[in-house]
Amino acid sequence: MIRRLNSAILIIFTLLFLIAVFPAAAQDQINPTAFLVYYDDDFELEIFDSAGEYIGDVFTGMELFPGATVKTYNSTAEIQLDPNGSILKISENSVFQIEAFQRTADESNDFSLFNGKLRVIAARAGLGFENYSIVTQSAVCGVRGTDFVIDSIGKLAVKDGAVAFSSLLNGDTIDVLGGQVADVFADVFTAAAVPASQLGEYFNDMQFKGVDPGQVPGHTVTPDEPEEETEKEAEEEEPQAPEEKAVEEPEAEAETAPEPSAGSAAGIISGKPASRGGSGDSEGDNEEKKSAEPGPFDDLLSDIGDFLGFEIGSVTIDGETYAKAVMQPQFEIGKFRAGLYLPVIYQDNLFDPDSWYHPSGNDEWSFGTDQNGWVDVSLDIVSDLFLKIRYLQWGDNGDDFYLKFGNLNNMTIGHGILMYNYANDTEFPAIRKVGLNTGMKFEYIDFEAVIDDASAPSIFGGRFVVKPMGTKFPLGFGLSAVADINPDSELESDSGLFDPMFVNPSFDIELPLSMINMTLFADTATMLPYINGSLEYSTFYNAAASDLGSALNNYGIATGFYGDVFGLDYRLEYRYSKGLFTPAFYNSNYDRNKTSYYNAILAYLDNPGDESYQTVTMGIYGELGMNFFDALALTGGYLWPWQLDGDTVSPADDDYFILSLELMPDVIPVVGLYGSVSYIRTNLASSIRDTVDGASFQLFDTDTIFNGELVYPFSNNLDVALQFATALSRDNNGNITEDSEVYYAFTIDTRVHF
């Protein structure tokens, strides 16, 4: 009997143990995941895997793994988690990343929102895997069973449930309940209750289309989901109800229905109080709706207004003031962005072509009618057409394919030892060039190309990279070359030499580390002038020198790393050069300095044995760029060089300084001013030292590129902009002379957009 009792007790405890352990074991076997369940347009959507590789085949139902990044343009995207059923909606123009899924009670579903807006309806039915952490640029959200919207800047609105909202600015954490909003940039970081209509504004453009919020465990559909059906039902019921009843019903409901709690959204119907019941809109509201219905051409006019821009104003060119009227259509489709520049710049009469400004002596509206011979006519037509392009762009440097065409200020080849942020728009619109910068990446090879001005090319460049192990281990070996076939183009007269050119070859090694968004690189390059029909190899290697160190000359080395982390773009590199070559030879100031480079090469060829050409220059270049919550963008960089002359170390003159600042629209309240400014300068340190020695400091000189604009939004359709820049005076052919001086160019524009 005792034996049977012991056996029964053992069986009971065994069953109890299995009942307790089995659910936990079963839960551990579940593999949480996510699925893409809806998007508006696959052309406006990009998805990258955990290694940062672009996934080209996007489809409904595709599985998303930890590390996946979803980037939207003119499309939303919706994601559903499995097994708990929570749903997420990503707004247009957003960057969202899945960091990790919850697998144990101590973990959470972790997401990052780098840009844009996100809505989450989190399950709350006690199924497990219901802890969430969302990190933005300025805040962290801790979530369980909640319906809320968060944007990347730091604004949170909670419809139902509660969110533990932590500010990354001061470390404070607050609880935001249903019906409340919070902002990390508010004067006081606290949760505030808002009217239902105001709360509804946060959710109006974040309604789910591909999934049913009512199917999320523990979530009840509020009357505003879907909004359109609720309004339609109200309108259908209106004719059946007497007018008196339409007024009385809300009062009766107000007496019997319980008040919605702070965590409930039951009082919101289309952003209005639920006390309207089923009475529908009043007659006056119906009349207002009818009058607000779009006309047959409203959509067309709206589309035109999105890309059509027009400006009138004045511009200073070579010290003379011109009036201008410019059409500037702009449009953007996914990664493709384009802008045209259709100007009439004139002095006396808008309708007299003889008074129009001719850039570099060219009548840009002639389209070959002022030329003779089919070759000249054809070239002039192409040149005039190119001048109407402000920019065409697809993607950015580093993408699998990118293309930039037009007036550009960031043309780069490879890691930049030959060309880094070369600018062909430093004196726009007085000097207009149509540059080309493009690149393609494949599994085993990469390719890049650059042209400074397609209408009258002078600078050509290219880079070819081989990756022996492919993208699995993307160690690459690159060969590059950039040439200026017209280094004496800024000289007033012909130098008498036969086709002088600069030819700059280079070799590089790179290793991209996609997991941390960093690229390691090491480059070496030189300059070989082409004079009187032959390359002057002796400028790089002098066979008559006594040793190898003295034989090698006019070359440079650069090594370092660059990348981005948490929205911060960074670059740090060590530069070493000997002789006349300097890393980043073709930079923002190259067009202004090319004549000095050319004259220095001629002087070197006359006396290559001069000891001054054996000087070694070393330096550290650092650059940082940050976008502060889509409100302020700041970029700064500096090259700190020093020279070795034997055992003597002294500061070098050719330092490089860059600072740019951009204030986004709609940041400053009431006034609404926005704009940008950029200051780029070489030889800044020497100017400061000269000031110490008694000379006057010049903030703007021939080594300075300064430009910017300040825009005042006068109305929804009208902006007034002040543009300012420094430029060099030129002759009638657009060339810099010995008498060229710095002048200040101011432009006042009235910009009309529809």
Side-chain angles (χ1 to χ4, degrees), residues 96-318:
F96 168 83
Q97 187 173 59
I98 299 174
E99 303 291 352
F101 292 128
Q102 182 182 4
R103 301 180 184 276
T104 67
D106 297 332
E107 297 178 346
S108 61
N109 297 291
D110 298 334
F111 308 111
S112 293
L113 182 66
F114 300 106
N115 193 53
K117 192 159 62 172
L118 174 71
R119 180 180 182 183
V120 178
I121 300 181
R124 52 179 177 191
L127 302 178
F129 305 97
E130 296 168 2
N131 296 333
Y132 298 85
S133 174
I134 295 94
V135 179
T136 72
Q137 297 180 14
S138 59
V140 178
C141 297
V143 180
R144 280 185 65 89
T146 312
D147 184 357
F148 69 96
V149 169
I150 179 73
D151 66 21
S152 60
I153 298 177
K155 293 181 180 180
L156 170 70
V158 181
K159 176 180 285 191
D160 190 18
V163 173
F165 195 38
S166 301
S167 170
L168 296 178
L169 304 180
N170 55 27
D172 293 344
T173 299
I174 59 175
D175 289 329
V176 185
L177 306 179
Q180 295 182 335
V181 300
D183 186 347
V184 296
F185 288 100
D187 293 336
V188 179
F189 182 49
T190 185
V194 296
S197 58
Q198 183 177 344
L199 183 68
E201 294 176 359
Y202 289 87
F203 293 83
N204 283 343
D205 59 344
M206 298 297 287
Q207 302 298 324
F208 287 90
K209 298 179 180 179
V211 288
D212 180 9
Q215 300 300 315
V216 178
H219 175 72
T220 303
V221 180
T222 53
D224 64 327
E225 297 173 350
E227 178 181 347
E228 297 178 357
E229 293 182 6
T230 303
E231 292 183 357
K232 183 177 179 181
E233 291 172 1
E235 292 174 2
E236 290 176 351
E237 293 177 3
E238 182 179 4
Q240 302 174 4
E243 185 174 353
E244 293 80 3
K245 187 175 182 180
V247 176
E248 295 174 359
E249 273 190 352
E251 296 179 357
E253 289 182 3
E255 294 175 358
T256 59
E259 290 187 6
S261 65
S264 171
I268 304 174
I269 299 180
S270 305
K272 300 180 181 179
S275 58
R276 289 179 53 204
S279 62
D281 295 333
S282 67
E283 183 178 350
D285 291 337
N286 286 332
E287 291 178 357
E288 184 179 350
K289 273 189 173 183
K290 291 179 181 179
S291 64
E293 291 181 357
F297 298 104
D298 282 5
D299 290 342
L300 175 62
L301 293 176
S302 177
D303 291 340
I304 293 176
D306 287 341
F307 73 86
L308 185 60
F310 177 74
E311 67 179 37
I312 56 176
S314 63
V315 59
T316 303
I317 300 176
D318 288 340

Side-chain angles (χ1 to χ4, degrees), residues 369-410:
T369 57
D370 59 346
Q371 303 293 324
N372 296 315
W374 69 270
V375 175
D376 291 339
V377 169
S378 300
L379 291 176
D380 190 63
I381 291 174
V382 173
S383 175
D384 291 347
L385 286 174
F386 281 169
L387 287 176
K388 306 305 177 290
I389 299 174
R390 181 66 189 268
Y391 64 87
L392 299 175
Q393 182 167 344
W394 179 284
D396 294 293
N397 288 60
D399 291 350
D400 289 342
F401 172 74
Y402 71 91
L403 172 68
K404 302 175 184 179
F405 188 72
N407 287 265
L408 308 171
N409 59 10
N410 57 354

Side-chain angles (χ1 to χ4, degrees), residues 460-612:
F460 300 83
R463 177 172 178 255
F464 184 77
V465 181
V466 176
K467 297 173 287 189
M469 289 168 279
T471 55
K472 294 181 180 180
F473 186 72
L475 177 66
F477 303 89
L479 290 174
S480 306
V482 178
D484 184 352
I485 64 172
N486 238 340
D488 60 343
S489 62
E490 300 291 355
L491 295 177
E492 188 173 7
S493 59
D494 190 357
S495 63
L497 299 176
F498 176 74
D499 291 335
M501 292 188 294
F502 291 160
V503 180
N504 302 80
S506 76
F507 171 76
D508 67 81
I509 302 175
E510 68 175 10
L511 179 60
L513 305 175
S514 58
M515 295 297 293
I516 56 175
N517 292 326
M518 177 187 290
T519 297
L520 309 177
F521 67 91
D523 297 26
T524 182
T526 185
M527 179 173 61
L528 302 174
Y530 182 84
I531 304 292
N532 289 326
S534 63
L535 283 173
E536 296 290 340
Y537 294 102
S538 60
T539 58
F540 171 63
Y541 180 76
N542 183 4
S546 58
D547 57 81
L548 182 62
S550 301
L552 295 177
N553 206 4
N554 299 318
Y555 66 91
I557 297 172
T559 182
F561 55 89
Y562 60 87
D564 66 89
V565 57
F566 300 120
L568 176 68
D569 296 323
Y570 60 87
R571 183 183 185 96
L572 186 66
E573 65 181 77
Y574 167 78
R575 295 179 179 180
Y576 175 99
S577 62
K578 182 183 177 184
L580 300 178
F581 177 82
T582 58
F585 186 80
Y586 298 90
N587 57 26
S588 301
N589 274 8
Y590 174 76
D591 283 343
R592 290 192 178 182
N593 295 329
K594 64 189 300 184
T595 299
S596 299
Y597 295 152
Y598 178 74
N599 291 331
I601 285 293
L602 295 182
Y604 175 83
L605 292 174
D606 286 340
N607 187 16
D610 193 317
E611 291 185 0
S612 63

